[in-house]
Structure formats: C-alpha cells, structure tokens
C-alpha cells in the first residue's frame, strides 16, 4: 500500500493538470511523464481511480491508464495485474459518472485484449454477461460496448459463447433504454463475420428488422456517429458472401430509400443510406431485380438530382467546400452506378423519359437535373445515345442559352461527358459545339474587373468540357489554336486557382491534340509553366501538378529538337517538386519523367540515377500508411499482432496509392525508352515490380505487370546491343522466367479481371520485344493459362463477390473481358507472324467452344479467327484453311449481324489466301455473301463489300462479275467500317487499270462516279485513295467519257463536292 504522502503528492500533481494555467499544466505533464515510467506509480493511480471523490481526477486516471497500460504491462507485477482487473470490474459497476464509467470500460477492453488470449482473465466474460442483466441501464450499455470492442478484436476466444451472445444482443436490441439499444446495434455488427452455419444465418437474420427499427430511432435522435456506424454495418452485411441479408433485402432496401429521400435528415446520412442501395446494386443486383426494387431505386436517385444544395437559392452560388457531393451530384452519380450495375436496359428508358419531362420545366433545378442525368448515362448507355446523338445534342445545346447559370454549368458538364464517352461519333459535331464552349470561357468581365464566383464556376466547367472534347479531336483542333490558346492563357494569368488548374489541364489536351502544330505557341506556354513549376506554396501545388503534366505533354508535341535545351531546367524543377510532401505532385511528376524519356530517348540516361531512386522509393515506401488506432502502439505480443494483422487499423490515402501506380508505370516506361542504359537497374526493378504485382491496388498491379515486360525487353536490348539474336542471354533468360511465372500467377490467381487482362497484354509486349525467342514460353506457359481463364477455371472468373442483375449483364461484362483477351492474342500473332501456327493449334478448341456458346461470343470468336488468320498470312494458314473456310461460310448464315460481319471478313481473307482454289470455293462464297449486301446493318454491308473486293483482286476471272458488279457498287461507298476502303477501291481501280469488259456494261461507270462523289473528302478516306479517284476521273474525261454529264445528274451537294476535288 502506498503511503499517504505519496498518494497526496499524486493527487496534487493530477490536480495541477486541471488548473486553467498553461505553465502549470506544462510542468505537471513533464513531471507526470517521468513518474509514468515507474511501475510503482501505477499502484497510486489505481488507488485514486478506486476511491478519489472527484470525478475529474478519476476520469484523468482512467485516461492515463488507457494510454499507458500497454507500454507498461510487462513491467508491472502479476499482483498489480490482478488488483487492476478487480478495481476495473468493481468500478464498472459502482462508478456513478457515465463519463468515467465509459473510460474504465475502455481500459477493461485493452486489458482483456492482453489477458484473455493468454487465459489470464477467465471471469471477465461472465462478469459482462451479468452486467447485461443488471437493472442499471448504464451497466447494460457499457457491457454492450465492451462486447463490441472485444468481439471485434479477440472474438475467436468468445466463439464458444455465440448462442449466448445472440440472445444477449437480441435482448439488447429490444431494451427499453435507447442508449442500450444503440450500443447493442453497434455490438451486433461485430458478429457478422462469425456467422457460418444455417442456424446462425437464420438467427442473425432475425436481428435485421430490429436493427432497422433502432436505426430509425437513432436518426430521429440525431445520433450521427451511431447512425454512421450502423450504415457501415449494413455495408458489411450486403458485401458478405454469407446470405444473412438475402431474405431481408426488400426491407433493408425500402428503409434505405425512405431515409435517402427524407430531406429532414442530415445530408451525409441520407447519402450513406443510398450508398447502401448502391452496394446492393453491386453485390446483390439479382435481388433488386427479383423484388422489383429497381424502379424505386431509380426514382429515389432522380429525386435527389432535383434538390438544391445547402444554401443554394435561385442563381446564387452553392455553399460548396468540396468535402462532399451535393445531393443533386450524388443522385446523378447513383444513376450512373445503377446503369452500370443493373445494365443500361433497366435504367435508360425511365431516365430518358425523366430528362424529356423536366428539360423544359419552369424550375431551373429540374432543368439542371435533366442535363445531369443525360451526362452520367453517356458511359453506360453509349449504344442508345449514339443512335440518337443529334437530338440529344440539340437538347444539351439549349441549355447553353438557359437564363440560370446552374443549368448552363450542367450543359457544359453534360457536353463534357458526351465528349469523353460518345467517341468517335461526337467528333462529327465538333464544329457546332466547340464555339459554344469557347463562348462559355468568355463569361469573363472587362479587363481589370473582378470576376464573380459564378463566372468562375462556369469557366471551370467550360475548361473541363474543352479538355474532354479536344482530347480526341486530333488535327481538327489546329485551325482553332490561336483562339483557344489565347483564351486559356488569359484564364491562366488572371483567374482564381481552380480555373487556372482546369485551364492548364485543358491546355495539355490541346497540346496533345495539336502535336507539332503547337510549336508557334510553345515558348510562351513553356515560360509560364516554368514559373508555376517553381511554386512551393500549398495553394499552388495542384496547379503545379497540372503544369508539370503539361510540360511533359508539350515536350512530346514539339519534339526533341525544340525542347532539349529546356530539359535540364525542367528536370531540376521536377526533381525539386519530388521533395515536397505532396503525393499528387509526385504522381504527376512520374508522368512528366515518362514523357521526357519518350521524347529524348537515350539522352535521358544522365537522369536515370536520380529518377530511378525516386521511383523505387515510391514503390516500396510506407510513408503514406496511417495506423489510426493509437491505443495499439505497444509492445505486448497480443496487441502488437493485432496491429499487424487487423486491416481496419490501416489507412492508405488514394493519393498514396496513385503515386505507387504512377511510379510503377514510370519504371517500365524508362526501361522502354532508355533501352540498354537501363540495364544497371534491371534486377532491382524486377524485384520491386514483383512486389508491386501483389500490392493491394489494382492500378499498381496492372502497371507493375506491364513494366516487368518492358524491363525484360530492355535487358534483352542491352545484352544483344540491339543486334538480332538466336538465343536469350542467360541473364535475360533468368529474368524472363521470373516474369513469366509472375504473369502466370496473375492470370491464375488475381481476382481482378483487369489485372488478368494486363498480364495477358504483358505477354503480348514480350512477344513484340523478344520475337520468336518468346515463343516457347508462350506455348508452354501462357497459352495453357489463358485457356484456363477462358474456361472459367481461374480466380478472376469465379469471384464469389461478383453478382449480376441478370444473365444479360453477366454476359456483357464477360464479353468485354473476353474481347480484351482476344486483342492480346492478336498482338502476339502479329508479333510471331506465320510462326503463330502452333499457337493457333492450341487455341482452336477453346475458340470453337466460345463460338458455340452463344451468338455474342460467336462474334468474338469469328473476329478473333479473322485477325489471327490475317496476322499469320497465307502460307501459315494453309493447314487450317478448310476448317476456317467451313466456319466462315457457316457463320454467314447466322442471323446475328456481328457474326455475319466477321464471317464476311474471314471469307474474303480466305478467298485471297486460297486463290488457287478459287474455282472451287468462289461460287459458294458468293452465293452466301451477295444476299447480305441488302442487310440493313452498315457494318455487314461494308465487310461483304470488302470480301467481294478481295475476291475480285485475287482472281477476278472466277467472279461472275456481270452478276456481282451492280449490287456491289450500289452498296458503296462504305458507311461505317472504313478499314475496308483499301480493299474496295483497290479492286475498283484494278478493273479500270485492266480495262475489264464489265466497264462497258450499263451503269457501271456512272455508279462509280456517284461513289467517288460521296466518298471524296470523307475524313476516313486515305489521301492516296482520294488522289487515285481524281486521277481516274480525269483519265476518263481525257478518253472522251462524258464525266461532266454524269456529274450534272448527281444531287447538288455531291456535284459541289466532286467538282471541288476535280478543280
């Protein structure tokens, strides 16, 4: 027992902590920290906790014990351990203060987490069971809170008491005291991962209606933290593969939707409720469809799109601090999510009806909502929107003239989404929409006047739309460069930071599209970029990111000879930025390094040491990892293990993850562009990329797999010095074997389809870089693994967490994935050429399985066979000729336009390859091809034209030209598959070059002139073909053919077009 004097001294010291005097408190803290290092001091604290009359002293002691007990546990005696446990349990029951009682409970939780796993506190569980039956609601509440903590951290030691705990929590959820019900609600969530047996699933499921009821009471009482925890618990239930929530989906979904549309509830909590609905769309879509909940979900989301933001009235500015989405933004985001998860077919029609209904509303909020909804549907509903693109664009364009600024902003955002996702169709209208965007940039006021926040918001949206449109505009942007660059420079020099950031991003898109046509403007932009890249103040760091990105894009656009003199200064600025504690800047700087290396190639060698050190450090660094449960920072074995193994205690900011992904990508790019100079970094880079290939972030894994391939190719280049090689260098071979094993691991075991596809793409990169030296590895390892993927025997193809709304949604997702894999196989075939034959032999059975699965997969299969045959060439295809021709001719009889299209291409290709068999095969091929010239599908017609053209070019004597030529010509010019232009016009030109007798037949030359009048000037028509058309027309005129008379009979627009070219 401590002396009275020691106890009084300790009491006095703690009392000084409560004095409202900074110096006194500081001195007391210093002395307290010294004493807390002595084990004997804790006996004094324990006495004070047990018997001191002042609540503030008892509370302070409990807090000190909570923060220090882990560090000191091994230094304290067993006698003290026992005394501490007894005092804590007694205090939990007898302590009158709720605050102190809860602090004591926290100490009990920590001590139990140390002692229970070691079997050193056997009576704590029985004690808590007794507390749950106490007449004192405070005891029941704190017991529930302790169960929440302990089951979450050391629940395995309580598993044998599962049935008892279920009974306790059931009573707790029905307790007369709200505080106990809320604590029980939190505790129930910790049992989710325990549920495994049918009985447990049934029992836990019975809690769900009570949990919904308590959640409603929590919301009524405005207990936001408890409500947030409850929503997170429902997320866990929805995500869980154990079907606890399945029978209760209708109850939960309807409750969440009711909360979501209730405007009297806090906006953040409403969004959490609707997030639960979105999780259902992700993890339980079939159940939403089965219980007819989809329309309710859509209507709730649409209702949010019409809401005003907090503090938003009329055309005033929203109170937007950027910390969360406004409700109208959240509603739009939810619509997009539903369209992706539940398939566009269920979402498109009601949303289009909604947009049409409210597009002409008198309410600006409804007009804005209509545009918001159309914008977010551009990605998931691509096919429907491109079919009606012109009227949809007219709808959006009306928004640019709306009197309400918010509607004009929505129109700009909608146009940006159209520009991003409705490619390439949207580019046909760039001449109409680009001026609208540029006019929106001109919402500026007179020079020297102050911009309003509303003007700046509109400019931000305009810059975003300009960025999205010009990103794919290419050389079509060149005529507009003076105007665009002038406007963006004006914004960069005089607007607020957000406008500057978006203007700089738009400038990058313009530079990339313009290429070397940007050279007249580059020095003025570069000088501004250098100034921004030197800024270190926090408010300019985002702008510095955009400027760093633009510097790299600019270097690629203006070419090495124009940028090389500026590279040392730019590299110095970029490396200086890497020292700043700003992950996003490091991410953008890695992109800059990549662009500079691509631009100057081997001359980047002098920068490799510094840049590689930075990139490797970013990949391996844990600087961004945050352990946010501070009480676990201890040396006691059980606690330390918890910190290591429990993922809930680790947080990794998105910017930290993106930095790693960017660094992983940069390493591969540096290897690719610096070649042999990269060799000293090969081994460390492969080792690091191997670690990143299993990192818990999909983008990082994808980039690491791609970089591994680039590194192998760089090693091969270094060891062969660029000369042709008949064998791999032993060092390269060793590295390649490790990389192939890594690719196989990713394809076989990664649960992400995108990572699996990235591994297959990396195999394609190895084929391109190593050529036939890679063939044995591809045959023996990669092909068998890809076949397993295609047969649904790998992890990414049987992910238990993946569920689809219906079979159509499932097939849509699978088709995208299989199509991506097919593209990677074609890349390899192009690299191997005729040597791909043994690979096709291995692939043939799985391709035929795919073809026979259903029509959608048959499209992919026939397309893949066509591309593989084309890549292999006529000689290598001969062993497969009969089988492929049978497949092609049979597929022409399909009712699916996609299959017909690919079969037509394959038929024409094979007829070219087998010209010596023309007499035997042309008749049957044409019998099946010619009827398809009447197809309403333009792709089918174009590919049939291409097939017939190839047959004519290969062996025109075996084509019954008198029966073929007129239907062939009537189907021209091509309407959609412009890759067939070369085959079609080569065949036509050949008829004229050989003066084929068919040219004298009635209508052949006039039809040809009509085709030329429509095709000339089309952006997809190569200039060589265009020039050949003009030469042919002039030659006909010189030979006396009445070309002008035929032209005079054409429609006016076609006359003007052809005359322009002839002039």
């Amino acid at each position: 027992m401590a002396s009275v004097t020691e106890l009084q001294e300790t009491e006095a010291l703690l009392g000084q902590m409560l004095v409202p005097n900074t110096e006194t408190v500081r001195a007391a803290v210093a002395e307290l920290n010294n004493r807390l290092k002595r084990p004997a001091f804790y006996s004094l604290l324990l006495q004070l906790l047990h018997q001191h009359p002042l609540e503030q002293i008892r509370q302070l002691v409990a807090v000190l014990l909570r923060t220090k007990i882990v560090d000191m546990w091994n230094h304290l005696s067993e006698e003290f351990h026992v005394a501490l446990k007894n005092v804590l349990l007694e205090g939990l029951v007898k302590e009158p203060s709720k605050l102190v009682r809860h602090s004591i409970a926290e100490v009990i939780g920590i001590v139990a987490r140390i002692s229970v796993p070691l079997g050193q506190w056997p009576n704590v569980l029985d004690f808590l069971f007794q507390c749950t039956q106490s007449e004192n609601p405070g005891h029941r509440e704190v017991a529930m809170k302790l169960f929440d903590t302990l089951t979450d951290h050391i629940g395995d030691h309580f598993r044998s008491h599962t049935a008892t705990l279920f009974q306790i929590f059931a009573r707790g959820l029905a307790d007369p005291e709200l505080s106990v019900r809320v604590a029980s609600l939190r505790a129930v969530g910790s049992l989710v991962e325990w549920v495994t047996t049918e009985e447990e699933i049934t029992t836990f499921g019975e809690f769900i209606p009570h949990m919904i009821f308590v959640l409603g009471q929590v919301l009524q009482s405005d207990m936001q933290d408890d409500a947030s925890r409850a929503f997170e618990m429902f997320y866990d239930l929805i995500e869980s593969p154990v079907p606890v929530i399945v029978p209760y989906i209708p109850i939960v979904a309807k409750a969440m939707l009711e909360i979501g549309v209730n405007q009297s509830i806090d906006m953040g909590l409403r969004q959490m409720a609707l997030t639960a609905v979105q999780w259902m769309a992700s993890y339980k879509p079939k159940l939403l469809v089965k219980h007819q909940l989809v329309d309710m979900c859509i209507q709730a989301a649409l209702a949010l799109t019409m809401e005003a933001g907090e503090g938003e009235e009329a055309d005033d500015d929203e109170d937007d601090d950027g910390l969360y989405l406004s409700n109208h933004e959240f509603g739009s985001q939810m619509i997009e999510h539903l369209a992706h998860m539940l398939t566009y077919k269920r979402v498109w029609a009601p949303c289009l009806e909604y947009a049409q209904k409210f597009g002409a509303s008198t309410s600006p909020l409804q007009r804005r909502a209509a545009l918001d909804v159309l914008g977010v549907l551009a990605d998931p509903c691509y096919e429907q929107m491109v079919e009606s693109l012109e009227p949809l664009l007219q709808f959006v364009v009306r928004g640019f003239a709306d009197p309400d600024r918010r509607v004009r902003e929505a129109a700009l955002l909608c146009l940006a989404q159209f520009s991003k996702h409705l490619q390439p169709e949207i580019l046909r209208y760039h001449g109409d929409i680009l001026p609208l965007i540029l006019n929106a940039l001109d919402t500026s006021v007179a020079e020297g006047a102050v911009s309003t926040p509303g003007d700046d918001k509109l400019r931000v949206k305009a810059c975003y739309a300009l960025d999205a449109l010009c990103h794919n505009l290419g050389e079509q942007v060149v005529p507009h460069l003076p105007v665009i660059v002038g406007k963006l420079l004006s914004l960069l020099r005089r607007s607020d930071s957000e406008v500057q950031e978006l203007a700089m991003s738009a400038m990058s898109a313009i530079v990339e599209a313009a290429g070397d046509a940007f050279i007249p403007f580059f020095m003025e932009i570069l000088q501004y970029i250098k100034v921004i890249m030197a800024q270190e103040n926090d408010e300019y760091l985002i702008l510095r990111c955009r400027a760093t990105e633009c510097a790299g894009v600019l270097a690629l656009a203006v070419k090495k000879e124009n940028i090389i003199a500026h590279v040392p200064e730019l590299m110095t600025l970029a490396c200086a930025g890497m020292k700043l504690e700003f992950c996003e800047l490091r991410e953008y700087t890695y992109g800059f390094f990549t662009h500079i290396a691509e631009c100057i190639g081997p001359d980047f060698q002098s920068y490799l040491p510094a840049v590689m050190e930075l990139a490797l450090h970013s990949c391996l660094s844990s600087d961004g990892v945050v352990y946010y449960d501070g009480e676990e920072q201890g040396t006691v074995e059980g606690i330390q293990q918890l910190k290591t193994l429990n993922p809930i205690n680790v947080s990794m900011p998105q910017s930290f993850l993106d930095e790693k992904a960017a660094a992983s990508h940069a390493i591969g790019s540096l290897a690719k562009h610096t070649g042999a100079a990269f060799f000293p970094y090969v081994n460390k880079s492969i080792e690091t990329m191997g670690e990143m290939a299993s990192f818990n972030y999909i983008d990082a894994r994808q980039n690491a797999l791609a970089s591994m391939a680039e590194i192998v190719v760089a090693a091969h280049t270094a060891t062969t010095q660029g000369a042709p090689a008949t064998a791999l260098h032993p060092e390269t071979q060793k590295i390649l074997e490790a990389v192939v094993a890594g690719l196989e691991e990713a394809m076989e075991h990664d649960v992400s389809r995108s990572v699996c596809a990235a591994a297959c793409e990396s195999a394609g990169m190895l084929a391109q870089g190593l050529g036939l030296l890679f063939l044995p590895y591809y045959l023996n390892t990669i092909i068998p693994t890809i076949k397993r993927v295609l047969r649904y025997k790998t992890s990414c193809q049987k992910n238990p967490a993946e569920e689809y709304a219906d079979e159509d949604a499932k097939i849509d997702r699978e088709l995208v994935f299989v199509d991506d894999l097919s593209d990677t196989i074609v890349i390899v075939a192009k690299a191997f050429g005729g040597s791909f034959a043994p690979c096709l032999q291995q692939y043939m059975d799985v391709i035929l399985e795919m073809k026979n699965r259903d029509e959608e997969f048959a499209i992919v299969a026939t397309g893949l066979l066509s591309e593989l045959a084309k890549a292999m060439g006529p000689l290598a295809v001969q062993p497969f000729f009969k089988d492929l021709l049978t497949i092609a001719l049979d597929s022409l009889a399909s009712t699916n336009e996609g299959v017909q299209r690919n079969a037509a291409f394959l038929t024409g290709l094979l007829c070219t390859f087998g010209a010596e068999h023309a007499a035997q095969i042309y008749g049957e091929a044409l019998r099946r091809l010619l009827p398809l010239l009447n197809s309403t599908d333009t792709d089918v017609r174009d590919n049939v034209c291409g097939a017939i053209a190839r047959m004519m070019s290969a062996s025109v004597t075996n084509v019954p030209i008198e029966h073929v030529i007129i239907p062939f010509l009537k189907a021209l010019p091509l309407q959609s598959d412009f890759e067939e232009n070369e085959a079609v016009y080569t065949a036509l030109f050949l008829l004229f070059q050989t003066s084929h007798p068919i040219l004298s037949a009635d209508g052949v030359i006039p039809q040809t002139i009509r085709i030329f009048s429509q095709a000339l000037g089309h952006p997809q028509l190569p200039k060589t073909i265009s020039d050949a058309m003009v030469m042919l027309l002039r030659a006909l005129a010189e030979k006396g053919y009445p070309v002008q008379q035929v032209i005079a009979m054409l429609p006016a627009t076609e006359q003007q077009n052809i005359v322009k070219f002839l002039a």
Side-chain angles (χ1 to χ4, degrees):
M1 178 69 67
S3 69
V4 175
T5 302
E6 289 176 316
L7 204 59
Q8 291 174 341
E9 287 179 358
T10 303
E11 181 182 353
L13 183 60
L14 294 174
Q16 291 174 29
M17 293 285 292
L18 305 175
V19 173
N21 182 290
T22 304
E23 292 301 321
T24 301
V25 171
R26 185 179 292 122
V29 167
E31 178 59 26
L32 201 54
N33 282 333
N34 288 328
R35 297 194 183 197
L36 285 167
K37 298 174 184 178
R38 308 171 196 165
F41 185 67
Y42 288 82
S43 296
L44 297 170
L45 293 178
L46 197 56
Q47 289 187 57
L48 293 173
L49 178 64
H50 181 57
Q51 63 188 35
H52 200 281
L54 283 181
E55 174 187 346
Q56 295 95 324
I57 296 294
R58 298 196 305 276
Q59 169 64 9
L60 183 53
V61 169
V63 171
L64 290 172
L65 288 172
R66 186 189 70 197
T67 56
K68 294 295 183 180
I69 198 66
V70 171
D71 290 328
M72 291 299 297
W73 186 259
N74 288 336
H75 303 285
L76 299 169
S77 68
E78 287 299 321
E79 182 184 358
F80 176 83
H81 291 170
V82 173
L84 174 64
K85 294 168 186 174
N86 291 335
V87 168
L88 290 174
L89 295 184
E90 184 180 346
L92 193 66
V93 174
K94 295 184 176 179
E95 172 59 52
S97 164
K98 181 176 181 179
L99 178 63
V100 180
R101 190 165 58 246
H102 282 265
S103 295
I104 290 173
E106 290 177 348
V107 182
I108 291 174
I110 295 171
V111 173
R113 285 152 64 183
I114 300 171
S115 301
V116 171
L118 301 175
Q120 296 174 352
W121 204 359
N123 63 326
V124 68
L125 191 57
D126 287 337
F127 178 83
L128 293 177
F129 286 159
Q130 293 172 20
C131 285
T132 63
Q133 300 180 52
S134 169
E135 294 183 0
N136 187 327
H139 297 165
R140 301 197 299 274
E141 177 189 1
V142 80
M144 290 298 181
K145 290 191 173 184
L146 271 169
F147 276 128
D148 177 27
T149 299
L150 296 180
T151 52
D152 197 29
H153 289 90
I154 54 172
D156 285 345
H157 298 277
F158 296 166
R159 289 301 296 265
S160 60
H161 301 278
T162 300
T164 304
L165 288 171
F166 277 9
Q167 293 174 7
I168 288 171
F169 293 162
R171 287 201 307 267
L173 287 170
D175 196 280
E177 289 291 331
L178 177 60
S179 62
V180 180
R181 295 197 297 275
V182 172
S184 302
L185 179 63
R186 295 175 70 113
V188 166
S190 61
L191 296 185
V192 173
E193 62 185 47
W194 288 22
V195 180
T196 54
T197 68
E198 288 295 328
E199 182 181 357
E200 289 171 345
I201 290 171
T202 301
T203 302
F204 194 99
E206 293 170 356
F207 291 162
I208 290 177
H210 300 288
M211 293 161 63
I212 291 289
F213 180 73
V214 176
L215 172 60
Q217 295 177 318
V218 166
L219 291 169
Q220 289 177 1
S221 303
D222 199 26
M223 301 166 70
Q224 296 195 13
D225 290 343
D226 293 299
S228 297
R229 173 71 181 271
F231 286 127
E232 290 168 359
M233 181 173 55
F234 279 106
Y235 301 163
D236 292 338
L237 285 169
I238 294 165
E239 183 184 18
S240 173
V242 180
V244 173
I245 201 170
V246 168
Y248 300 94
I249 282 289
I251 297 174
V252 177
K254 290 175 182 177
M256 296 300 167
L257 291 170
E258 288 176 6
I259 294 167
V261 298
N262 187 340
Q263 296 190 31
S264 67
I265 297 174
D266 174 79
M267 182 172 79
L269 296 178
R270 293 172 62 197
Q271 292 185 7
M272 289 191 78
L274 292 175
T275 298
V277 176
Q278 294 186 66
W279 279 53
M280 291 180 208
S282 297
Y283 293 101
K284 302 289 187 284
K286 286 183 180 178
L287 294 174
L288 290 181
V289 174
K290 175 183 176 181
H291 295 291
Q292 300 181 338
L293 296 166
V294 174
D295 285 343
M296 291 178 62
C297 297
I298 294 171
Q299 294 307 317
L302 293 176
L304 255 69
T305 64
M306 291 186 287
E307 291 189 18
E310 290 189 14
E312 183 183 16
E313 296 178 6
D315 201 14
D316 297 338
D317 302 306
E318 295 182 48
D319 181 19
D320 181 10
D321 57 10
L323 295 178
Y324 50 77
L325 293 176
S326 64
N327 276 350
H328 80 86
E329 291 169 328
F330 186 91
S332 301
Q333 180 197 70
M334 184 172 171
I335 288 291
E336 180 178 17
H337 185 81
L338 294 173
H340 278 296
M341 295 297 108
L342 303 175
T343 78
Y344 61 85
K345 297 174 185 176
R346 300 182 184 281
V347 178
W348 169 246
C351 288
L352 179 62
E353 181 182 352
Y354 170 88
Q356 292 170 335
K357 176 180 178 180
F358 291 112
S361 168
T362 57
S363 165
L365 296 179
Q366 291 180 340
R367 297 197 303 274
R368 175 179 69 181
L371 290 164
D372 286 344
V373 168
L374 282 181
V376 297
L377 291 178
D379 182 17
C381 300
Y382 165 83
E383 292 182 5
Q384 287 67 33
M385 297 190 81
V386 295
E387 289 176 1
S388 308
L389 184 52
E390 188 163 343
L392 287 173
L393 270 176
Q394 292 171 355
F395 184 93
V396 176
V397 166
R398 288 199 297 271
F400 280 79
D402 197 282
D404 192 285
R405 173 183 54 78
R406 295 166 299 181
V407 181
R408 298 196 299 276
E409 287 180 24
L412 283 163
L413 286 177
C414 185
L415 193 55
Q417 295 300 315
F418 280 20
S419 299
K420 283 177 67 176
H421 301 296
L422 304 184
Q423 290 288 341
E425 290 80 5
I426 190 73
L427 298 181
R428 295 201 303 268
Y429 303 94
H430 82 274
D432 299 320
I433 58 183
L434 184 56
L436 295 173
I437 298 173
L438 295 178
N439 286 339
L441 290 175
D442 270 342
T443 53
S444 53
V445 288
E447 189 72 29
V450 178
S451 299
T452 67
D455 288 337
D456 284 338
K457 283 180 177 291
L458 203 59
R459 292 192 200 98
V460 165
K461 309 302 190 295
C463 287
Y464 179 59
L466 183 64
D467 185 344
L469 177 64
C470 293
H471 190 75
N472 294 292
L473 204 52
E475 61 184 17
Q476 295 178 91
V477 79
V478 173
H480 307 283
L481 280 179
V483 175
I484 295 175
V485 173
K487 289 180 182 293
L488 291 179
L489 274 173
S490 176
L491 295 179
L492 286 168
R493 288 170 176 153
R494 55 183 301 274
S495 294
D496 76 352
S497 59
E498 189 179 6
V499 176
Q500 288 177 314
E501 291 157 15
L502 270 294
M504 184 61 78
S505 184
M507 187 71 81
S508 295
I510 300 298
V511 171
E512 186 173 7
D516 57 8
F518 199 83
I519 290 175
F521 309 95
F522 106 92
M523 277 304 300
E524 186 175 11
I525 298 296
L526 185 61
Q527 295 308 316
Y528 182 80
I529 285 173
K530 289 178 180 178
V531 172
I532 297 301
M533 287 180 68
Q535 299 297 317
E536 296 187 358
N537 294 338
D538 289 349
E539 63 266 32
Y540 292 112
L541 289 183
I542 296 293
L543 180 58
R544 181 170 178 170
C545 292
R546 306 292 186 267
T548 302
E549 175 189 43
C550 192
V553 174
L554 192 61
L556 277 181
V558 303
K559 305 294 189 297
K560 178 178 177 179
E561 60 270 20
N562 290 301
I563 199 69
I564 192 68
H566 305 279
V567 168
E569 182 181 1
L570 290 171
M571 287 295 296
T572 298
L573 291 168
C575 289
M578 294 294 288
K579 298 175 183 177
L580 301 176
E581 293 298 321
F582 196 59
C583 290
E584 190 171 351
L585 180 57
R586 291 196 286 269
E587 175 197 347
Y588 277 82
T589 303
Y590 285 125
F592 165 81
F593 290 149
T594 296
H595 285 135
I596 295 297
E598 183 177 353
C599 179
I600 68 176
D603 288 347
F604 195 86
Q605 180 176 355
S606 60
Y607 302 110
L608 273 177
V611 174
M612 284 301 299
E613 181 180 356
L614 292 167
L616 292 170
H617 175 76
S618 288
C619 287
L620 300 175
S621 170
S622 60
D623 293 346
V625 178
V626 178
Y627 297 96
Y628 55 85
D629 191 347
E631 68 189 28
E632 295 188 353
Q633 304 295 325
T635 57
V636 174
E637 181 182 0
I639 297 291
Q640 188 62 43
Q641 288 177 348
L642 279 172
K643 173 188 161 183
T644 304
L645 299 177
N646 193 345
I648 67 167
N649 299 315
V650 178
S651 170
M652 289 184 284
Q654 185 65 43
S655 57
F656 168 77
L657 299 173
D658 290 336
E659 177 190 340
K660 286 185 174 294
S664 299
H665 175 261
I667 288 172
S669 296
L670 295 177
K672 177 180 180 180
H673 298 302
T674 59
F678 192 83
F679 192 70
Y681 309 96
V682 163
N683 289 327
K684 182 62 177 175
S685 297
I686 284 291
E687 178 186 342
T688 303
M689 291 302 97
E691 292 192 33
M692 295 308 297
S694 60
F695 186 71
N696 191 24
Y697 183 49
I698 288 176
D699 289 359
R701 299 204 299 279
Q702 292 178 172
N703 291 347
L705 292 168
S707 290
M708 289 164 77
E710 298 288 13
I711 294 165
V712 172
V713 175
H716 179 61
T717 302
T719 53
T720 61
Q721 297 183 337
T726 57
L728 292 169
H729 186 279
E731 187 68 23
T732 306
Q733 183 175 348
K734 178 182 175 183
I735 296 167
L736 176 59
E737 288 171 356
V739 168
V740 169
L743 299 184
E744 181 186 18
E745 172 73 15
M747 294 180 209
E748 187 76 46
H749 298 296
D750 201 298
V751 296
S752 166
R753 283 178 173 170
S754 61
V755 174
C756 177
C760 297
E761 189 174 346
S762 294
M765 295 163 65
L766 288 169
Q768 290 172 319
L770 303 180
L772 295 180
L773 296 176
F774 182 59
L775 179 56
Y777 299 91
Y778 192 76
L779 274 170
N780 298 327
T781 303
I782 302 300
I783 290 180
T785 311
I786 290 179
K787 290 176 71 173
R788 283 178 53 76
V789 175
L790 292 172
R791 285 176 169 147
Y792 297 84
K793 294 182 178 179
T794 57
S795 296
C796 71
Q797 292 284 57
K798 48 186 180 183
N799 186 350
E802 205 167 45
E803 187 180 305
Y804 303 95
D806 51 34
E807 191 62 22
D808 286 346
K810 183 174 184 288
I811 290 175
D812 286 345
R813 302 267 187 89
E814 290 174 358
L815 278 170
V816 171
F817 178 56
V818 171
D819 201 34
D820 288 343
L821 293 192
S822 299
D823 289 343
T824 68
I825 295 171
V826 172
I827 290 170
V828 176
K830 289 178 178 178
F832 290 165
S835 298
F836 189 80
C839 303
L840 179 56
Q841 187 68 51
Q842 282 202 43
Y843 275 127
M844 188 61 81
D845 58 349
V846 76
I847 294 175
L848 291 178
E849 289 170 14
M850 193 192 316
K851 174 185 174 295
N852 295 328
R853 177 178 170 182
D854 62 32
E855 288 187 335
E856 295 299 322
F857 282 89
I859 296 173
V860 178
T862 51
L864 176 58
L865 289 173
S866 301
E867 293 297 331
L868 295 180
K870 180 180 178 182
M872 289 165 61
L875 290 178
V877 164
Q878 288 310 310
F880 308 94
F881 186 84
K882 290 184 178 179
D883 290 339
L884 290 176
L885 185 62
T886 300
I887 291 170
L889 295 178
D890 288 348
S891 297
L892 287 173
S894 170
T895 57
N896 182 281
E897 288 89 353
V899 176
Q900 293 172 348
R901 175 183 71 237
N902 291 336
F905 178 84
L906 181 56
T907 301
L909 193 67
L910 292 172
C911 287
T912 302
F913 287 175
E916 66 272 21
H917 306 298
Q920 292 79 38
I921 63 177
Y922 272 31
E924 181 62 20
L926 287 168
R927 187 181 70 80
R928 301 196 184 206
L929 284 168
L930 286 173
L932 295 178
L933 286 174
N934 298 317
S935 172
T936 57
D937 186 282
T938 56
D939 279 326
V940 173
R941 291 202 307 271
D942 289 354
N943 277 273
V944 171
C945 286
I948 293 173
R950 288 185 174 87
M951 296 166 70
M952 290 165 55
S953 296
S955 182
V956 71
T957 57
N958 285 292
V959 175
I961 196 74
E962 67 279 3
H963 299 298
V964 171
I965 190 67
I966 294 300
F968 173 71
L969 293 175
K970 285 183 176 180
L972 295 174
L974 301 177
Q975 299 297 311
S976 55
D977 193 344
F978 300 108
E979 290 184 8
E980 295 297 288
N981 269 327
E982 184 176 352
V984 165
Y985 293 112
T986 296
L988 265 181
F989 295 153
L990 185 62
L991 293 177
F992 283 93
Q993 290 165 5
T994 59
S995 300
H996 195 284
I998 197 63
L999 296 176
S1000 61
D1002 186 38
V1004 172
I1005 293 181
Q1007 282 280 23
T1008 302
I1009 295 174
R1010 174 194 62 79
I1011 293 165
F1012 289 2
S1013 72
Q1014 294 177 15
L1016 282 167
H1018 193 283
Q1020 298 291 336
L1021 186 72
K1023 188 175 185 301
T1024 53
I1025 295 178
S1026 176
D1027 292 344
M1029 287 178 174
V1030 173
M1031 290 176 61
L1032 177 57
L1033 290 171
R1034 288 173 177 166
L1036 285 172
E1038 289 173 3
K1039 291 180 179 180
Y1041 189 85
V1043 172
Q1044 293 299 332
Q1045 293 179 25
V1046 174
I1047 292 174
M1049 298 173 65
L1050 296 171
T1053 55
E1054 294 175 15
Q1055 287 184 42
Q1056 294 169 6
N1057 189 46
I1058 199 167
V1059 167
K1060 177 178 67 175
F1061 278 88
L1062 286 174

